[in-house]
Amino acid sequence: MRASRQGVAADLRPGPQGRERGADLNAIDWFFRDRKTGAITIGQWPNAPLLIFIGCALVGWLDGPGGRIGPYLRILGAAALAWWAVDEVARGVNPWRRCLGAGVLAFLAWKLARAAL
């Protein structure tokens, strides 16, 4: 395997079991590779919905557990996080980002179902 500016080039020579060494790397590469730029993308700078969620979490933390605006911040923060997750599922740059969005949506649905009980 060698590194270059374009990323990691896999060694495709047969391995000890006759399997290509690069098969696992190709799957990882496919999972994390940005489809537009070709770069490996695991995380990105926060976009607007994620910044709203982070802001709500920070203000809620500063407000304290008995604060008056806490419930409103939790609702706004959850809505912003759901907005971010739906956007990642719909327009994520690679399968990793889409799975991350789906996982966050599943977590939010679980939290909502648990709160309803």
mmCIF file of all heavy atoms in Angstrom, residues 45-71:
data_model
loop_
_atom_site.group_PDB
_atom_site.id
_atom_site.type_symbol
_atom_site.label_atom_id
_atom_site.label_comp_id
_atom_site.label_asym_id
_atom_site.label_seq_id
_atom_site.Cartn_x
_atom_site.Cartn_y
_atom_site.Cartn_z
ATOM 1 N N TRP A 45 -16.820 20.471 8.701
ATOM 2 C CA TRP A 45 -17.188 21.591 9.560
ATOM 3 C C TRP A 45 -18.705 21.610 9.707
ATOM 4 O O TRP A 45 -19.428 21.290 8.762
ATOM 5 C CB TRP A 45 -16.714 22.911 8.964
ATOM 6 C CG TRP A 45 -15.243 23.081 9.081
ATOM 7 C CD1 TRP A 45 -14.338 22.963 8.069
ATOM 8 C CD2 TRP A 45 -14.496 23.353 10.269
ATOM 9 N NE1 TRP A 45 -13.079 23.148 8.561
ATOM 10 C CE2 TRP A 45 -13.150 23.390 9.904
ATOM 11 C CE3 TRP A 45 -14.835 23.560 11.599
ATOM 12 C CZ2 TRP A 45 -12.137 23.644 10.822
ATOM 13 C CZ3 TRP A 45 -13.823 23.810 12.506
ATOM 14 C CH2 TRP A 45 -12.497 23.849 12.124
ATOM 15 N N PRO A 46 -19.210 21.965 10.877
ATOM 16 C CA PRO A 46 -20.667 21.959 11.093
ATOM 17 C C PRO A 46 -21.394 22.917 10.151
ATOM 18 O O PRO A 46 -20.919 24.011 9.884
ATOM 19 C CB PRO A 46 -20.818 22.412 12.542
ATOM 20 C CG PRO A 46 -19.487 22.202 13.174
ATOM 21 C CD PRO A 46 -18.474 22.321 12.080
ATOM 22 N N ASN A 47 -22.540 22.478 9.656
ATOM 23 C CA ASN A 47 -23.389 23.344 8.851
ATOM 24 C C ASN A 47 -24.432 23.998 9.766
ATOM 25 O O ASN A 47 -24.405 23.817 10.987
ATOM 26 C CB ASN A 47 -24.023 22.564 7.693
ATOM 27 C CG ASN A 47 -24.744 21.326 8.158
ATOM 28 O OD1 ASN A 47 -24.985 21.133 9.342
ATOM 29 N ND2 ASN A 47 -25.090 20.472 7.217
ATOM 30 N N ALA A 48 -25.358 24.758 9.196
ATOM 31 C CA ALA A 48 -26.302 25.550 9.999
ATOM 32 C C ALA A 48 -27.108 24.711 11.003
ATOM 33 O O ALA A 48 -27.167 25.065 12.181
ATOM 34 C CB ALA A 48 -27.231 26.338 9.083
ATOM 35 N N PRO A 49 -27.738 23.591 10.604
ATOM 36 C CA PRO A 49 -28.516 22.845 11.586
ATOM 37 C C PRO A 49 -27.666 22.303 12.738
ATOM 38 O O PRO A 49 -28.091 22.298 13.892
ATOM 39 C CB PRO A 49 -29.150 21.701 10.811
ATOM 40 C CG PRO A 49 -28.811 21.882 9.398
ATOM 41 C CD PRO A 49 -27.877 23.026 9.272
ATOM 42 N N LEU A 50 -26.459 21.884 12.426
ATOM 43 C CA LEU A 50 -25.592 21.354 13.478
ATOM 44 C C LEU A 50 -25.109 22.472 14.399
ATOM 45 O O LEU A 50 -24.989 22.276 15.612
ATOM 46 C CB LEU A 50 -24.415 20.609 12.857
ATOM 47 C CG LEU A 50 -23.780 19.510 13.684
ATOM 48 C CD1 LEU A 50 -24.831 18.548 14.232
ATOM 49 C CD2 LEU A 50 -22.754 18.763 12.887
ATOM 50 N N LEU A 51 -24.866 23.658 13.833
ATOM 51 C CA LEU A 51 -24.494 24.804 14.674
ATOM 52 C C LEU A 51 -25.638 25.209 15.595
ATOM 53 O O LEU A 51 -25.417 25.571 16.757
ATOM 54 C CB LEU A 51 -24.057 25.978 13.804
ATOM 55 C CG LEU A 51 -22.699 25.823 13.127
ATOM 56 C CD1 LEU A 51 -22.459 26.978 12.165
ATOM 57 C CD2 LEU A 51 -21.593 25.737 14.151
ATOM 58 N N ILE A 52 -26.873 25.135 15.104
ATOM 59 C CA ILE A 52 -28.045 25.435 15.943
ATOM 60 C C ILE A 52 -28.128 24.423 17.079
ATOM 61 O O ILE A 52 -28.348 24.790 18.246
ATOM 62 C CB ILE A 52 -29.337 25.441 15.102
ATOM 63 C CG1 ILE A 52 -29.320 26.625 14.130
ATOM 64 C CG2 ILE A 52 -30.573 25.490 16.001
ATOM 65 C CD1 ILE A 52 -30.418 26.578 13.090
ATOM 66 N N PHE A 53 -27.936 23.137 16.765
ATOM 67 C CA PHE A 53 -27.967 22.108 17.797
ATOM 68 C C PHE A 53 -26.881 22.343 18.847
ATOM 69 O O PHE A 53 -27.133 22.274 20.050
ATOM 70 C CB PHE A 53 -27.808 20.720 17.171
ATOM 71 C CG PHE A 53 -27.568 19.643 18.183
ATOM 72 C CD1 PHE A 53 -28.597 19.189 18.988
ATOM 73 C CD2 PHE A 53 -26.303 19.112 18.357
ATOM 74 C CE1 PHE A 53 -28.381 18.207 19.947
ATOM 75 C CE2 PHE A 53 -26.064 18.130 19.310
ATOM 76 C CZ PHE A 53 -27.109 17.683 20.108
ATOM 77 N N ILE A 54 -25.661 22.624 18.408
ATOM 78 C CA ILE A 54 -24.559 22.874 19.338
ATOM 79 C C ILE A 54 -24.846 24.102 20.188
ATOM 80 O O ILE A 54 -24.603 24.105 21.403
ATOM 81 C CB ILE A 54 -23.226 23.006 18.565
ATOM 82 C CG1 ILE A 54 -22.845 21.658 17.941
ATOM 83 C CG2 ILE A 54 -22.112 23.517 19.464
ATOM 84 C CD1 ILE A 54 -21.711 21.740 16.932
ATOM 85 N N GLY A 55 -25.383 25.157 19.577
ATOM 86 C CA GLY A 55 -25.743 26.363 20.324
ATOM 87 C C GLY A 55 -26.806 26.087 21.369
ATOM 88 O O GLY A 55 -26.708 26.564 22.514
ATOM 89 N N CYS A 56 -27.825 25.321 21.010
ATOM 90 C CA CYS A 56 -28.882 24.972 21.967
ATOM 91 C C CYS A 56 -28.324 24.156 23.126
ATOM 92 O O CYS A 56 -28.684 24.375 24.285
ATOM 93 C CB CYS A 56 -29.999 24.194 21.270
ATOM 94 S SG CYS A 56 -31.015 25.189 20.187
ATOM 95 N N ALA A 57 -27.443 23.216 22.814
ATOM 96 C CA ALA A 57 -26.843 22.390 23.866
ATOM 97 C C ALA A 57 -25.995 23.243 24.804
ATOM 98 O O ALA A 57 -26.046 23.077 26.030
ATOM 99 C CB ALA A 57 -26.013 21.273 23.248
ATOM 100 N N LEU A 58 -25.233 24.162 24.243
ATOM 101 C CA LEU A 58 -24.378 25.022 25.055
ATOM 102 C C LEU A 58 -25.194 25.957 25.940
ATOM 103 O O LEU A 58 -24.939 26.084 27.139
ATOM 104 C CB LEU A 58 -23.431 25.814 24.151
ATOM 105 C CG LEU A 58 -22.442 26.731 24.863
ATOM 106 C CD1 LEU A 58 -21.488 25.907 25.725
ATOM 107 C CD2 LEU A 58 -21.667 27.548 23.851
ATOM 108 N N VAL A 59 -26.192 26.608 25.370
ATOM 109 C CA VAL A 59 -27.041 27.520 26.151
ATOM 110 C C VAL A 59 -27.820 26.734 27.202
ATOM 111 O O VAL A 59 -27.972 27.194 28.335
ATOM 112 C CB VAL A 59 -27.976 28.336 25.222
ATOM 113 C CG1 VAL A 59 -28.979 29.140 26.027
ATOM 114 C CG2 VAL A 59 -27.159 29.262 24.331
ATOM 115 N N GLY A 60 -28.306 25.548 26.854
ATOM 116 C CA GLY A 60 -29.004 24.715 27.826
ATOM 117 C C GLY A 60 -28.106 24.309 28.977
ATOM 118 O O GLY A 60 -28.521 24.256 30.135
ATOM 119 N N TRP A 61 -26.842 24.032 28.674
ATOM 120 C CA TRP A 61 -25.883 23.678 29.720
ATOM 121 C C TRP A 61 -25.624 24.879 30.629
ATOM 122 O O TRP A 61 -25.560 24.738 31.842
ATOM 123 C CB TRP A 61 -24.598 23.194 29.069
ATOM 124 C CG TRP A 61 -23.520 22.858 30.049
ATOM 125 C CD1 TRP A 61 -23.463 21.779 30.871
ATOM 126 C CD2 TRP A 61 -22.344 23.622 30.302
ATOM 127 N NE1 TRP A 61 -22.320 21.820 31.618
ATOM 128 C CE2 TRP A 61 -21.611 22.942 31.295
ATOM 129 C CE3 TRP A 61 -21.837 24.811 29.783
ATOM 130 C CZ2 TRP A 61 -20.396 23.419 31.769
ATOM 131 C CZ3 TRP A 61 -20.628 25.277 30.256
ATOM 132 C CH2 TRP A 61 -19.927 24.580 31.247
ATOM 133 N N LEU A 62 -25.486 26.054 30.024
ATOM 134 C CA LEU A 62 -25.264 27.271 30.820
ATOM 135 C C LEU A 62 -26.495 27.640 31.637
ATOM 136 O O LEU A 62 -26.371 28.197 32.727
ATOM 137 C CB LEU A 62 -24.869 28.435 29.904
ATOM 138 C CG LEU A 62 -23.503 28.331 29.234
ATOM 139 C CD1 LEU A 62 -23.316 29.459 28.230
ATOM 140 C CD2 LEU A 62 -22.385 28.327 30.257
ATOM 141 N N ASP A 63 -27.679 27.344 31.129
ATOM 142 C CA ASP A 63 -28.935 27.650 31.815
ATOM 143 C C ASP A 63 -29.131 26.760 33.032
ATOM 144 O O ASP A 63 -29.786 27.140 33.991
ATOM 145 C CB ASP A 63 -30.104 27.501 30.841
ATOM 146 C CG ASP A 63 -31.413 28.016 31.406
ATOM 147 O OD1 ASP A 63 -31.402 29.055 32.101
ATOM 148 O OD2 ASP A 63 -32.449 27.372 31.162
ATOM 149 N N GLY A 64 -28.566 25.583 33.015
ATOM 150 C CA GLY A 64 -28.673 24.674 34.155
ATOM 151 C C GLY A 64 -29.876 23.757 34.038
ATOM 152 O O GLY A 64 -30.774 23.973 33.216
ATOM 153 N N PRO A 65 -29.925 22.714 34.891
ATOM 154 C CA PRO A 65 -31.001 21.725 34.796
ATOM 155 C C PRO A 65 -32.379 22.285 35.146
ATOM 156 O O PRO A 65 -33.383 21.800 34.652
ATOM 157 C CB PRO A 65 -30.588 20.624 35.765
ATOM 158 C CG PRO A 65 -29.554 21.223 36.632
ATOM 159 C CD PRO A 65 -28.950 22.370 35.900
ATOM 160 N N GLY A 66 -32.469 23.286 35.984
ATOM 161 C CA GLY A 66 -33.772 23.827 36.366
ATOM 162 C C GLY A 66 -34.133 25.103 35.633
ATOM 163 O O GLY A 66 -35.061 25.818 36.019
ATOM 164 N N GLY A 67 -33.413 25.410 34.563
ATOM 165 C CA GLY A 67 -33.642 26.653 33.828
ATOM 166 C C GLY A 67 -34.994 26.678 33.132
ATOM 167 O O GLY A 67 -35.567 25.649 32.795
ATOM 168 N N ARG A 68 -35.485 27.890 32.924
ATOM 169 C CA ARG A 68 -36.805 28.049 32.301
ATOM 170 C C ARG A 68 -36.803 27.796 30.803
ATOM 171 O O ARG A 68 -37.831 27.415 30.244
ATOM 172 C CB ARG A 68 -37.333 29.462 32.566
ATOM 173 C CG ARG A 68 -37.798 29.647 33.988
ATOM 174 C CD ARG A 68 -38.517 30.943 34.140
ATOM 175 N NE ARG A 68 -37.543 31.958 34.559
ATOM 176 C CZ ARG A 68 -37.752 33.241 34.482
ATOM 177 N NH1 ARG A 68 -38.860 33.716 33.994
ATOM 178 N NH2 ARG A 68 -36.835 34.081 34.891
ATOM 179 N N ILE A 69 -35.671 28.006 30.153
ATOM 180 C CA ILE A 69 -35.669 27.845 28.687
ATOM 181 C C ILE A 69 -35.190 26.464 28.242
ATOM 182 O O ILE A 69 -35.184 26.166 27.051
ATOM 183 C CB ILE A 69 -34.821 28.945 28.016
ATOM 184 C CG1 ILE A 69 -33.366 28.882 28.485
ATOM 185 C CG2 ILE A 69 -35.415 30.311 28.246
ATOM 186 C CD1 ILE A 69 -32.449 29.810 27.717
ATOM 187 N N GLY A 70 -34.812 25.617 29.192
ATOM 188 C CA GLY A 70 -34.299 24.284 28.868
ATOM 189 C C GLY A 70 -35.203 23.452 27.985
ATOM 190 O O GLY A 70 -34.744 22.899 26.978
ATOM 191 N N PRO A 71 -36.499 23.325 28.313
ATOM 192 C CA PRO A 71 -37.383 22.505 27.463
ATOM 193 C C PRO A 71 -37.488 23.030 26.025
ATOM 194 O O PRO A 71 -37.520 22.245 25.074
ATOM 195 C CB PRO A 71 -38.741 22.578 28.158
ATOM 196 C CG PRO A 71 -38.415 22.917 29.579
ATOM 197 C CD PRO A 71 -37.176 23.754 29.529
#
